[in-house]
Every structure is written in structure tokens, then in C-alpha cells.
Amino acid sequence: MQIPFLSPTRVSTRSVELRFDQPHGPGADDKELRDGLSAVTRVGSHLFVASDEGTGLERLTTRDGATFAEHRSFPLAEFLELPGGEEEVDVEGMDYRPPYLWIVGSHALKRKRADPSSDDREREIRRLGKIEDEANRYLLARIPLRHDPETGEYTPCRSCPDPADPERVLHAGRFRGEGRESPLMEALADDRHLGPFLKIPGKDNGFDIEGLALVGERIFLGLRGPVLRGWAVVLEVEPRETDDPTVLKLRKIGPKEQPYRKHFLHLGGLGIRELAVQGTDLLILAGPTMELDGPVVLFRWRRGTEVDEESLVGPDGIERVMEIPYGQGVEAGRDHAEGITPFREPGGAISLLVVYDAPAEARKTGEGGVRADLFPLPE
């Protein structure tokens, strides 16, 4: 099968500064917020961002389009019942469709790291054999955003009146089930493509969600892993409400009444790191499944939001838009592009805003600031 041709690496023409007044988010004491950004979406004058550690959601506000500040931190436990208590959620995808902000955890197992510099070789070898399973990582949830039309402010809430119907109350909610007993994981357990990978840690080409995009009532979930013989996977699900407004279920939308659809995309062997919607297209940030720095590529799945059945999309159906720089040489291990959101600039031009995990030192500003890149995005 022919792999899509290489496109030139794009160089950011502009950046925006994200200023975090509090260096650490809820539940994260070791890693600074700016060092672990994993998801981002723009809502009005705000950027909502999340870290891959901790149990919080962060909001930044802009007054000039160049700096996002006025940092507010929102513990997810204020809105949702978290089955794992203070365990990290590992938020890896986020998107907004009025009136709800949706977030998804990685749904992935985690293997312990080994330290090659340690004098205790046996201990480090044992660490490589330890796998952790944390209940909060299986979160797929929605949180209402209360909009103040006078200030333009959007604020997360546990419950609030529906601005479109004052007699209706909106509630934060998540899917029933704790940890690996979530409806999605239970449905995938017997899946012939994905079931065998549920017991493999995410960084080992195991099951690992790292992207979320909303299209109407549908949710597209991008998988970093597994990549199957070069094919990346997008899962499509559709929530439905129950008698309990805080509990959601999955509609049966797939073959044989499965509560999901699968879409296989040939991205040259790369896994999916994030998804975003532009018109009827799906934008796909792709990168290595394993512990590698790059390459990192932005793809466009033309009219991907219009599919109504499972699909197999080869290189001819995927446009390779641009390569995004990543840490190499002295910056190896840095600048891992993790979150994307379309960003309308002053004058109406559309760019793609990219936030990074493990940002290079040159990106950092002041005590808690970091720069995110803007790349021109063709209409």
C-alpha cells in the first residue's frame, strides 16, 4: 500500500501565550500545568485546557487574541463523581458543542517507567513488569457551560438552567460503570480488532484514546493505539440520556447492534493524537504510538463527519496537510504536540492552535507561562 507523500514541515508564523497563575492543577503536585498540556478547545474568548496529570480543568481568557490569562482552575470532582478519587484522569481529548463541554480520559493501562541511571538494576527491571489500572482514566463525560451574555464568560457547572429552554435543567453526566466496567470497555471486550489490545498498556501499542471531536450528537474518539498493520482507528459513539440526568448510555449504532462504529484510516503507521472538526472534515493530529518523538503530521479526512457506516479509508482518501515540528537533537523528548483546536484570528483567517506536552524550555515564559503555536489552516 502506498504511503502518503511527505509534505514540508510547517514553521509557526505566530504563537499565543498561555499564562497559568497556579503552577499545578487539582490533584497534580509534581508536574506543572504548562509541562503536561494534553487537550485544548476554544470557547468564545476562552481556552479550556487540561493536563495529562491531575483531576482538573483549566480556563484561560484572552482580551487581545495574543495572550490567554485570567487563569481559573476547576476540579472535575465538583461536577462529576470520580470513581478513582484523587487518581489522575489523564484527560486526552476535549471538545465543545453547546451547551456541553465533553472530555475523555485515555482509557489506557499504564506501565511503570524504568530508570537506566539507577544503581538498583533488579528493581528497575521489576518496575517494567508493573502495570497500573486507574479507574478515573475511563472517564467519558459532559459538563454544562453556563454562558453570561453580558460578560461573554463560559463557566463549568454541575447543573444550571438550559439557556435555550429555561424550564429545563442541564446536568453534568458521565457513562455508567466504574473503570474497565464502563459501557465502552465492556462492549469492546469481544471486538475482534480491539479486544485483544485492552490488556496492553497504551504506550505499548495497547488501547489508548487520545482524541475527541463532536459532530451533532455523535462523538468521534481517536485511538493512539492500537495501530493495526499501519491502520489507525477512530471509534464513533453516540450517547443517550437515561432517567437519571447524571448517567449516560450508548446508543446501538454499529453492525449487529454494537454501541459503536469503527473507522480504519491509513496514516502511514501513525496513531491518532487528537481530532478536530473543520466544516465537514475531520482534522487528525497523528504521531507515533510508541515512546518516540516523531514524526507528527496533521491529516484531513475529507467529509469524514458525514460517514454513516463503518469505513476503511486508504491514503487516497486522506490529505496530508502539514508536518508539525517536534523535539529533536538537543531538544529530544520535548515538544510533543498533543492538543489542537481551530482558532479564528483577527481578520477572519483560520489557524490551528497546537499545545505541547513536555514543551521546550524556549517556549516557557515567566513563572507559569508557555507558548502555543498557530499554523495557517487552509479553508
Side-chain angles (χ1 to χ4, degrees), residues 40-100:
V40 60
T41 192
R42 184 164 187 182
V43 181
S45 62
H46 304 306
L47 281 182
F48 283 91
V49 298
S51 168
D52 59 4
E53 293 189 8
T55 57
L57 181 67
E58 316 302 323
R59 190 190 72 185
L60 301 168
T61 304
T62 188
R63 303 298 176 186
D64 58 9
T67 302
F68 285 82
E70 301 177 34
H71 176 210
R72 282 196 62 184
S73 187
F74 301 92
L76 290 174
E78 291 186 358
F79 318 112
L80 303 161
E81 300 299 326
L82 298 181
E86 292 300 312
E87 292 177 352
E88 69 178 30
V89 175
D90 193 21
V91 174
E92 292 289 355
M94 183 189 311
D95 200 3
Y96 175 67
R97 180 178 181 273
Y100 292 106

Side-chain angles (χ1 to χ4, degrees), residues 177-374:
E178 296 186 1
R180 298 177 73 82
E181 296 178 358
S182 72
L184 179 60
M185 298 301 283
E186 289 187 337
L188 291 172
D190 295 324
D191 186 89
R192 60 179 176 174
H193 296 106
L194 301 177
F197 293 89
L198 299 186
K199 296 182 179 180
I200 301 175
K203 301 297 190 294
D204 298 344
N205 197 38
F207 187 84
D208 189 357
I209 296 175
E210 287 215 4
L212 182 150
L214 304 175
V215 181
E217 299 300 321
R218 304 149 72 195
I219 303 174
F220 288 84
L221 301 171
L223 304 189
R224 175 174 179 169
V227 172
L228 306 177
R229 195 68 184 260
W231 295 87
V233 183
V234 172
L235 284 176
E236 179 190 344
V237 298
E238 188 172 326
R240 70 177 181 87
E241 297 181 345
T242 66
D243 293 336
D244 182 344
T246 67
V247 176
L248 305 173
K249 286 187 175 182
L250 293 174
R251 295 187 186 277
K252 296 178 180 179
I253 62 171
K256 299 180 181 179
E257 296 193 328
Q258 293 173 336
Y260 60 89
R261 294 187 184 120
K262 292 175 291 188
H263 306 286
F264 298 92
L265 286 69
H266 202 282
L267 305 181
L270 299 178
I272 296 171
R273 295 298 184 88
E274 186 56 289
L275 300 173
V277 175
Q278 186 185 22
T280 60
D281 301 341
L282 267 183
L283 300 176
I284 302 168
L285 181 70
T289 295
M290 312 295 276
E291 285 267 295
L292 300 171
D293 288 328
V296 181
V297 183
L298 182 73
F299 293 96
R300 182 189 299 275
W301 180 11
R302 292 283 186 186
R303 304 182 70 174
T305 66
E306 297 182 341
V307 297
D308 57 6
E309 60 184 1
E310 294 195 333
S311 51
L312 184 75
V313 186
D316 292 342
I318 301 289
E319 176 189 346
R320 190 170 185 134
V321 179
M322 69 180 86
E323 292 186 60
I324 293 177
Y326 58 92
Q328 302 180 69
V330 296
E331 292 291 356
R334 297 282 184 176
D335 272 1
H336 296 152
E338 288 282 341
I340 60 174
T341 187
F343 188 99
R344 187 170 294 279
E345 302 212 54
I350 295 291
S351 292
L352 187 75
L353 184 142
V354 181
V355 298
Y356 299 84
D357 185 18
E361 288 300 316
R363 289 191 180 279
K364 298 180 181 181
T365 61
E367 292 297 320
V370 68
R371 294 194 176 277
D373 282 336
L374 290 172

Side-chain angles (χ1 to χ4, degrees), residues 84-119:
E86 292 300 312
E87 292 177 352
E88 69 178 30
V89 175
D90 193 21
V91 174
E92 292 289 355
M94 183 189 311
D95 200 3
Y96 175 67
R97 180 178 181 273
Y100 292 106
L101 181 74
W102 282 85
I103 59 173
V104 66
S106 65
H107 288 62
L109 298 174
K110 181 169 65 172
R111 186 182 298 280
K112 286 281 191 179
R113 295 176 181 269
D115 181 3
S117 65
S118 171
D119 294 330

